[in-house]
Amino acid sequence: MHSVNCGNGVRAEVFYMQVRDSDSFSDCSRGTVFGLRFNRNRIMSRNLAFYIFISTMLLLPRPGHAAFDTIPLGARPARLAGAFVALADDANTALLNPAGLSLLGGPELTTFYTRLFGIEDLRRMMVAAAIPTPVGGIGFFFHSFGGELYRESVFGISYSRPLFSHLFLGATLRTLMVAIDRYGATNRFTGDAGLLLRLPSQIQLGLKIEGLRRPEIAEQSDQIPRVVRAGLSRTSDSITIAVQLDM
């Protein structure tokens, strides 16, 4: 990963990796994966149209959220710079775009754990499971951030079903819990909605709206953020391309 300061408070992080046969990618066994992220916008590109899209994104305001952010969670989405809303093809989709649950061929389980800067009280972990059923895809997930002094925890259940042969809808119900040492704990409920559209040439369009309900976490009107994530992806035998815009 290489970081570049672009000025005006904009920092770009460029991800590049060679995918080997041993890497755990369900959509390709080898080739190259590119990722480019500008602040909270995750972009992966290889042609002129994508570069124009990137340039446009730099002109958009950057949202700032202090709590209950979900991107990137999961080893594979993190390696793709968080651009997963349109890919949505493994158990991570239970959290990142519930509409993708209808596309899974069998039960899946994924876990993720890291300590930011190696600090114990900055632990971030996630576990997610997805189960396709005759009536639609069902997913469960739990993720948390923090330690003994401060901790955010989220438990969610997701459901997806096809609306048409190439259009899939999904919904998520999340329980949000925050605990602060010596101050106690509280919890709130919110919901998300997702959409996935499959197009020819292995192209997919994805959309997720997080925080349909915006409850207040504290008496100071600190509301849960509402975030809209839109993306496009294309997969082939040798390369995965994904573009994502977070608003």
Side-chain angles (χ1 to χ4, degrees):
M1 183 181 71
H2 179 65
S3 297
V4 180
N5 191 345
C6 303
N8 295 324
V10 176
R11 191 182 74 165
E13 295 177 356
V14 181
F15 295 74
Y16 172 86
M17 67 189 72
Q18 291 291 332
V19 181
R20 304 180 299 275
D21 292 339
S22 61
D23 286 325
S24 58
F25 277 69
S26 61
D27 56 357
C28 59
S29 60
R30 54 190 170 276
T32 305
V33 174
F34 298 94
L36 179 61
R37 182 176 70 194
F38 290 89
N39 288 327
R40 297 175 58 82
N41 302 324
R42 284 80 176 180
I43 306 164
M44 309 179 77
S45 166
R46 71 172 181 178
N47 57 39
L48 180 59
F50 284 172
Y51 284 118
I52 295 174
F53 186 64
I54 292 171
S55 300
T56 303
M57 288 173 61
L58 290 175
L59 301 177
L60 298 177
R62 175 180 180 262
H65 305 306
F68 296 107
D69 197 6
T70 59
I71 294 288
L73 280 173
R76 185 163 174 253
R79 294 179 70 178
L80 292 168
F84 199 78
V85 70
L87 200 56
D89 59 357
D90 63 25
N92 291 291
T93 193
L95 169 65
L96 302 180
N97 187 354
L101 291 168
S102 296
L103 301 178
L104 303 184
E108 293 192 14
L109 175 70
T110 184
T111 62
F112 173 83
Y113 177 85
T114 187
R115 289 185 301 174
L116 301 180
F117 309 107
I119 300 175
E120 186 67 22
D121 279 339
L122 295 181
R123 298 189 301 268
R124 185 180 287 270
M125 63 84 64
M126 184 272 291
V127 59
I131 307 171
T133 72
V135 295
I138 301 175
F140 306 89
F141 61 85
F142 173 82
H143 66 85
S144 68
F145 170 74
E148 298 298 326
L149 299 179
Y150 176 86
R151 176 179 293 273
E152 299 173 7
S153 302
V154 179
F155 173 77
I157 180 171
S158 299
Y159 175 75
S160 170
R161 65 174 301 160
L163 187 61
F164 300 106
S165 59
H166 298 288
L167 179 62
F168 306 88
L169 301 179
T172 298
L173 177 64
R174 287 188 289 149
T175 301
L176 314 175
M177 298 161 282
V178 59
I180 303 176
D181 186 38
R182 299 183 181 181
Y183 288 91
T186 187
N187 64 82
R188 297 291 188 271
F189 295 91
T190 188
D192 311 326
L195 178 147
L196 197 63
L197 176 63
R198 305 189 80 177
L199 301 174
S201 302
Q202 296 179 297
I203 296 174
Q204 295 187 165
L205 299 178
L207 176 69
K208 184 190 179 188
I209 304 176
E210 294 181 9
L212 294 175
R213 179 176 177 268
R214 301 186 63 195
E216 295 181 356
I217 286 293
E219 296 180 357
Q220 292 79 12
S221 299
D222 186 9
Q223 290 185 307
I224 299 299
R226 177 175 295 148
V227 183
V228 178
R229 309 186 193 275
L232 177 145
S233 72
R234 185 181 186 277
T235 59
S236 66
D237 294 335
S238 59
I239 194 168
T240 297
I241 305 169
V243 178
Q244 182 167 312
L245 172 64
D246 297 349
M247 298 171 285

